[in-house]
Amino acid sequence: MQARVGCMAERDKYKQYLDKYYPIDVNDVLIGKAKLEGQIIQDMPIYLPVKNLNRHGLIAGATGSGKTKTIQLLAEGLSKQGINVLLMDIKGDLSGLAAKGQSNDALAARTKLLNFDFKPSAYPVEFLSISEQVGIRLRG
């Protein structure tokens, strides 16, 4: 029989595991909340250690699975710490980082579910270009 998320013993065991193997550093980037048995646990934030971001990584998934939002979240978290990020964005999906975000019903529902306080922010962005498009030209 599987334990339910509401079972404090299972939650405590899971939290101890996270605390032991994924200790939080003040420079880590908040990327979400823990899930146990498919349910979000609002009081268990998950951070990505900045020290591990110099390694190879892959963000893959089907259309609409959250790849762009994941990259945006990482770029925002690093920018808040003054760490420069270089993103190759052929479709222009990430150019919105330069503008202050706006809330909508879906975002409000998600932030409530995750117990996050959404504060729209703009981030410093410089566009580089290899074409005639807007941005700093990389070739002559």
Side-chain angles (χ1 to χ4, degrees):
M1 182 173 128
Q2 291 186 351
R4 294 178 40 231
V5 172
C7 175
M8 290 308 288
E10 254 331 279
R11 286 174 52 107
D12 290 345
K13 183 177 174 184
Y14 189 41
K15 180 147 180 50
Q16 287 172 356
Y17 175 85
L18 291 176
D19 290 344
K20 180 178 180 181
Y21 293 104
Y22 301 97
I24 298 170
D25 182 291
V26 294
N27 296 316
D28 294 346
V29 177
L30 178 64
I31 58 171
K33 300 287 179 130
K35 285 178 81 173
L36 181 60
E37 296 179 6
Q39 294 183 19
I40 295 169
I41 304 173
Q42 293 184 349
D43 60 345
M44 286 189 204
I46 299 294
Y47 291 83
L48 183 63
V50 170
K51 66 182 180 183
N52 290 351
L53 291 176
N54 64 347
R55 293 167 173 81
H56 295 284
L58 173 68
I59 297 174
T63 300
S65 63
K67 300 177 300 292
T68 300
K69 290 296 178 191
T70 299
I71 292 169
Q72 183 177 356
L73 183 70
L74 289 172
E76 289 173 355
L78 293 170
S79 182
K80 287 176 186 174
Q81 295 184 39
I83 299 171
N84 295 323
V85 179
L86 175 64
L87 300 170
M88 308 294 177
D89 182 20
I90 293 173
K91 292 175 22 181
D93 293 339
L94 297 170
S95 62
L97 287 168
K100 190 173 181 179
Q102 297 179 5
S103 188
N104 59 41
D105 291 342
L107 181 58
R110 183 71 175 164
T111 56
K112 182 178 180 183
L113 176 68
L114 293 173
N115 196 26
F116 281 144
D117 184 24
F118 175 68
K119 295 177 186 150
S121 301
Y123 295 88
V125 172
E126 289 187 48
F127 293 99
L128 308 176
S129 178
I130 58 172
S131 69
E132 299 295 326
Q133 299 294 318
V134 175
I136 301 167
R137 294 249 333 168
L138 295 178
R139 61 182 176 158

